[in-house]
Amino acid sequence: MTTDSPTPDTGAELLPIATPARTRAALRTLIRPDRGLALTGIGILVAATAVGLLVQPLLGRIVDIVADGRPAGDLTLPVVLLVAVAVVQGLTTTLGLTRIARLGETVLARLRERFVERALNLPADRLERAGAGDLTARVTGDVARVAEAVRSALPEMARSVLAILLTLGALALLDVRFLLAALLAVPVQLLTARWYVRRALTLYADQRVANGAQQQQLLETIGGAVTVRGHRLEEQHTERSAGRSRKAVDLTMRSVNLVLGFYGRLHIAEYIGLAAVLIAGFWLVRDGAVSIGTATAAALYFHSLFGPVNAALVLLDDAQSAAAGLARLVGVTDLADQPEPAAGEPAAGKAAPASVPRQRIASSEAAVTVHAVSHAYGPGRPVLHEVSLTLEPGEHVALVGTSGAGKSTLARIVAGVQQPTSGTVTGPAGTGSAAAGAGEHPVVLVTQEVHVFTGTLAEDLRLARPDASDADLRTALATVHALDWAEALSDGLATVVGEGGHRLDPARAQQLALARLVLADPALAVLDEATAEAGSAGARVLERSAEAALAGRTALVVAHRLTQAVAADRVVVLEAGRVVESGPHDELRDADGPYAALWRAWSGSRTTAPHP
């Protein structure tokens, strides 16, 4: 179960935050595969703490020997035992903490993998409503806070809790009255913990939201810097960034004041408890109920509680902060939960099992049917209205229309990366059974915003097909007319590309994406303005590359340039989210309708209009 995040003044609908109960359930699920490691680590720490509790009685024994005026030789055995206790406790503590740390790192890795996997499968419109800043804050700040807690707070908390429980038991063994005196500090500590927790959870959650809003504003300002300068909006955006920064700083200062008040209350509890134990010791020694050494051991026991009690309560700060971050991460993983596909049917957009042979899908199975699909990115923001469309096996369909007509939205829905508000899509990425007989990828979407991953060119290509040989890679590059420049790189296919490596210009990056499409060998290819990022000369090269990559497969092409519509088998015209025309290029051009108007405008903008 999740709850909606508090919405900042950005107008964004932030991703949800899991409830405390759901967060605890998710944490149990993450730990369950390593129950044995957890129990072993805790057991070793119990043994280490129990051995360490022998220090105080041995010191008390030394006090009694000195107080009774016994020979110095009587000190030998207690001193030797103290050395042995130190060695054994050190070794067992190291072993136990190592196992707890291994458990924490394993759980953290599992959490990261699950978060990344689910975040990548979030619906595109949901991410757009939330804004990039919210997800970025969770990927960076929240994951880092949980990681810090796992690496430092978890082992220390485990050791502190065990030390507290066993030390209280040891006090009771000395004399139950020592225990009762020590427990006088507990009410103050519990009230302090309750006072802190009730304020910290909400405060840290608000702080995370404020940090997300701050990051979102910075991303929008930096990403739109050209527009901001062009419209002279620098002062407005600076003030917005400053306002959200001030809010984040204010929440940070409130958390600092909260921690200072927390420490002050803890010191009061320490003074009360220590004074009570010392007074109890004085009375018991005066009455002959215990020896001076026993009273000394009791005082040392309580003094030794300062560290673990304070550590446990102070770690509430890290625990609350980490809990707030964990709840935000679990909220994303729950939001992305999808029902499992039917037996024998690959999930939409996922690779089929490795045992499925690589073969072209039968042409009769490659058709895609869009039936009465509507979509809205929010209340009152409809983008598509009852769109119906059929792609025949092997057919190339071009989607054209003015900006905002809904072309990209329809393309993403057909590709299966976005779910429609209503209506159905059957085919390789939809609800039908066509995907069952496809190759490794039922559908591949290539957009104008492609990413060149950091690594060698060969590794980048193999993202689409990990088992591809070098010959397969060269064939794919040759298909999209990219082999010449690829082999001309300093190290050929072994050249490092992406961030920190050889930078590919937009045209070559798109050719790389088209080569990955060839390697994936999908039944259906969807191109969303895949040539828009290149200039005119680059666009002509990319159009030839795209035509070669689409050969022999069903394709839906969002046409940035109408030369792509000329080459298509059929043109579908979208206007205000509705299909207003559909047919071959020549027929629509001569019909004097919306497409003819687009064609005249586009042809007139060119120095030499292409001859169809």
Side-chain angles (χ1 to χ4, degrees):
M1 181 178 179
T2 58
T3 59
D4 291 334
S5 302
T7 302
D9 54 1
T10 60
E13 180 187 339
L14 299 186
L15 297 168
I17 298 175
T19 62
R22 174 62 196 131
T23 303
R24 289 191 295 270
L27 188 58
R28 287 193 296 270
T29 301
L30 290 169
I31 295 176
R32 188 173 295 121
D34 297 291
R35 288 192 302 267
L37 182 61
L39 293 174
T40 303
I42 292 173
I44 295 174
L45 284 180
V46 168
T49 305
V51 170
L53 292 177
L54 296 174
V55 170
Q56 288 82 356
L58 289 172
L59 291 175
R61 180 64 176 169
I62 291 174
V63 170
D64 282 338
I65 291 173
V66 174
D68 293 342
R70 299 178 191 177
D74 290 352
L75 296 173
T76 303
L77 180 60
V79 170
V80 170
L81 290 176
L82 281 173
V83 173
V85 166
V87 172
V88 173
Q89 185 186 24
L91 293 175
T92 51
T93 299
T94 301
L95 182 59
L97 289 179
T98 300
R99 289 183 174 273
I100 294 296
R102 184 182 301 170
L103 170 68
E105 290 296 336
T106 302
V107 171
L108 178 62
R110 192 174 294 125
L111 172 64
R112 280 174 166 165
E113 291 170 0
R114 185 168 300 182
F115 177 83
V116 171
E117 177 187 355
R118 302 296 177 83
L120 290 175
N121 289 322
L122 284 177
D125 55 335
R126 187 65 184 87
L127 284 177
E128 290 175 2
R129 293 200 303 272
D134 187 32
L135 186 62
T136 301
R138 300 187 192 218
V139 171
T140 55
D142 291 323
V143 170
R145 188 56 58 91
V146 173
E148 181 182 354
V150 165
R151 289 170 180 151
S152 59
L154 178 63
E156 187 62 30
M157 177 68 84
R159 187 170 64 170
S160 298
V161 170
L162 289 173
I164 293 168
L165 295 176
L166 294 178
T167 301
L168 291 176
L171 277 172
L173 290 176
L174 291 178
D175 192 294
V176 72
R177 285 167 288 189
F178 286 127
L179 174 61
L180 293 176
L183 291 179
L184 290 177
V186 173
V188 179
Q189 293 168 335
L190 291 179
L191 288 173
T192 299
R194 182 184 178 192
W195 172 84
Y196 176 78
V197 169
R198 291 176 63 181
R199 289 163 175 77
L201 188 58
T202 302
L203 179 58
Y204 283 122
D206 291 344
Q207 192 174 359
R208 293 289 181 276
V209 172
N211 289 337
Q214 181 188 30
Q215 289 194 31
Q216 178 66 26
Q217 181 61 47
L218 291 174
L219 288 172
E220 290 178 352
T221 301
I222 294 172
V226 175
T227 303
V228 170
R229 287 195 297 267
H231 291 274
R232 300 191 179 279
L233 299 174
E234 296 94 332
E235 184 175 346
Q236 295 176 2
H237 276 258
T238 299
E239 181 56 34
R240 289 177 188 171
S241 298
R244 286 170 188 147
S245 296
R246 283 193 295 271
K247 184 174 182 180
V249 170
D250 178 65
L251 289 170
T252 300
M253 293 308 300
R254 284 172 57 190
S255 68
V256 170
N257 291 331
L258 181 67
V259 171
L260 291 176
F262 177 67
Y263 279 118
R265 287 167 170 80
L266 286 184
H267 292 327
I268 294 173
E270 291 174 356
Y271 297 148
I272 292 173
L274 184 57
V277 170
L278 290 175
I279 292 171
F282 173 77
W283 285 342
L284 292 173
V285 170
R286 187 187 63 179
D287 295 341
V290 298
S291 67
I292 296 176
T294 300
T296 302
L300 291 174
Y301 269 138
F302 187 82
H303 188 272
S304 71
L305 283 175
F306 285 9
V309 168
N310 287 348
L313 293 177
V314 167
L315 286 174
L316 285 174
D317 181 69
D318 292 335
Q320 293 302 312
S321 181
L326 182 60
R328 284 161 56 81
L329 298 179
V330 174
V332 172
T333 62
D334 284 354
L335 182 65
D337 274 334
Q338 299 292 337
E340 293 295 325
E345 180 180 344
K350 298 291 185 69
S355 59
V356 176
R358 287 188 50 78
Q359 59 183 8
R360 172 74 65 197
I361 186 172
S363 61
S364 61
E365 296 176 335
V368 178
T369 301
V370 178
H371 178 67
V373 162
S374 297
H375 189 74
Y377 287 105
R381 297 173 57 196
V383 179
L384 298 176
H385 306 271
E386 298 285 328
V387 173
S388 294
L389 175 67
T390 298
L391 276 69
E392 298 298 335
E395 183 182 27
H396 290 186
V397 174
L399 273 181
V400 301
T402 57
S403 179
K407 304 184 298 296
S408 293
T409 300
L410 180 58
R412 290 199 297 267
I413 289 174
V414 171
V417 300
Q418 187 164 310
Q419 297 301 313
T421 304
S422 63
T424 59
V425 179
T426 56
T431 58
S433 61
E440 285 191 33
H441 299 270
V443 59
V444 168
L445 169 67
V446 180
T447 71
Q448 68 184 71
E449 298 174 353
V450 299
H451 183 72
V452 179
F453 294 88
T454 300
T456 66
L457 184 63
E459 291 171 342
D460 207 307
L461 287 166
R462 286 194 175 99
L463 291 171
R465 188 173 141 203
D467 62 345
S469 65
D470 286 350
D472 293 331
L473 303 185
R474 290 188 173 86
T475 299
L477 289 169
T479 300
V480 299
H481 311 295
L483 183 59
D484 289 343
W485 65 256
E487 291 188 330
L489 296 175
S490 57
D491 296 313
L493 295 181
T495 302
V496 175
V497 295
E499 191 71 26
H502 181 84
R503 293 297 184 94
L504 300 181
D505 61 40
R508 289 183 174 182
Q510 283 288 0
Q511 284 183 309
L512 181 59
L514 291 171
R516 287 199 292 254
L517 184 152
V518 173
L519 287 167
D521 194 21
L524 170 66
V526 179
L527 270 57
D528 184 5
E529 297 190 349
T531 64
E533 288 296 311
S536 298
R540 287 192 290 271
V541 172
L542 285 181
E543 285 171 8
R544 290 196 298 271
S545 299
E547 184 179 356
L550 299 179
R553 57 182 108 249
T554 307
L556 179 66
V557 179
V558 177
H560 176 68
R561 290 174 172 81
L562 291 189
T563 49
Q564 295 170 295
V566 176
D569 299 314
R570 181 159 51 99
V571 179
V572 173
V573 183
L574 283 183
E575 201 171 88
R578 292 180 170 85
V579 175
V580 294
E581 277 189 311
S582 178
H585 161 75
D586 291 339
E587 179 182 312
L588 296 185
R589 183 197 56 189
D590 298 336
D592 200 26
Y595 179 76
L598 289 172
W599 176 259
R600 287 194 297 270
W602 183 79
S603 300
S605 67
R606 300 170 63 82
T607 305
T608 303
H611 184 71

